[in-house]
Amino acid sequence: GHESSAVIFGAAALARVDQATADRALDLLPEYGVNHIDTAPRYGDSELRIGSWFERRRNRAQYFLASKTGDRDKAGAYASIRRSLDRLKTDRIDLIQLHALIHPDEWEQALGPGGALEACIEARAEGLVRFIGVTGHGWTIAAMHRRALERFDFDSILLPWNWFAAQHATY
């Protein structure tokens, strides 16, 4: 039900800035039609900066908000989702993503019994998240994501795509 802008805001840029600087950057989003924000716990203080910005402007509903979890086990991922909700000062994350799921061992743990995927599914059932995705980088990530889609019907796959990568045989 949300049509995201073609350009999204990657909140890693807010990792090490103060709130005033973050506010100035985030205040530019509506001016340029950006209504999709992507953040992660690994992005320093970005979740805190976004949460404070939303709280003061009371405009959370205008944005599609994506975050991630780097945890691979169910308990850790569920705690990560709850922590992100607190830091973002919201009751729902639109898209939770398994962050940088690259290594086959981590992939097996996250998608296996007691893995992070189970936490995401549980959080979705509770209304804490709307959609579930997976992210990754590297020459083998397209193949890993294809395998992931065979295991679970992810709503979103995030990977780098450019002319250089498309020319690489392994990619």
Side-chain angles (χ1 to χ4, degrees):
H2 174 87
E3 190 170 325
S4 288
S5 49
V7 174
I8 69 172
F9 181 75
L14 305 179
R16 293 177 190 84
V17 301
D18 61 22
Q19 190 63 52
T21 303
D23 287 349
R24 283 194 305 277
L26 293 165
D27 284 343
L28 291 171
L29 301 184
E31 183 178 335
Y32 290 97
V34 176
N35 66 2
H36 185 128
I37 299 172
D38 180 75
T39 189
R42 287 187 193 169
Y43 298 170
D45 289 336
S46 69
E47 288 182 327
L48 294 170
R49 300 295 173 247
I50 294 164
S52 292
W53 183 72
F54 278 146
E55 186 175 53
R56 284 194 303 284
R57 281 149 189 83
R58 304 190 192 286
N59 61 353
R60 164 65 180 93
Q62 296 171 9
Y63 293 90
F64 187 90
L65 182 59
S67 195
K68 304 172 184 79
T69 179
D71 291 281
R72 304 307 186 214
D73 64 292
K74 182 179 179 180
Y78 191 83
S80 172
I81 292 166
R82 286 299 224 177
R83 191 169 39 257
S84 288
L85 288 165
D86 289 342
R87 290 167 52 103
L88 290 161
K89 298 181 195 270
T90 188
D91 59 352
R92 184 193 76 239
I93 296 169
D94 295 301
L95 171 64
I96 191 68
Q97 300 162 99
L98 302 177
H99 197 186
L101 195 56
I102 300 164
H103 193 276
D105 291 345
E106 288 185 335
W107 187 90
E108 284 296 338
Q109 181 184 10
L111 300 182
L117 179 58
E118 289 183 4
C120 296
I121 293 168
E122 185 174 312
R124 182 171 62 186
E126 294 173 11
L128 303 177
V129 303
R130 290 178 58 204
F131 303 106
I132 301 172
V134 62
T135 79
H137 300 273
W139 296 119
T140 61
I141 200 58
M144 292 296 289
H145 284 345
R146 182 179 224 161
R147 275 184 66 206
L149 284 167
E150 291 169 0
R151 179 82 61 98
F152 181 77
D153 188 18
F154 285 96
D155 298 301
S156 169
I157 300 290
L158 185 133
L159 70 156
W161 181 256
N162 56 52
W163 183 88
F164 181 74
Q167 305 311 306
H168 193 280
T170 303
Y171 198 79

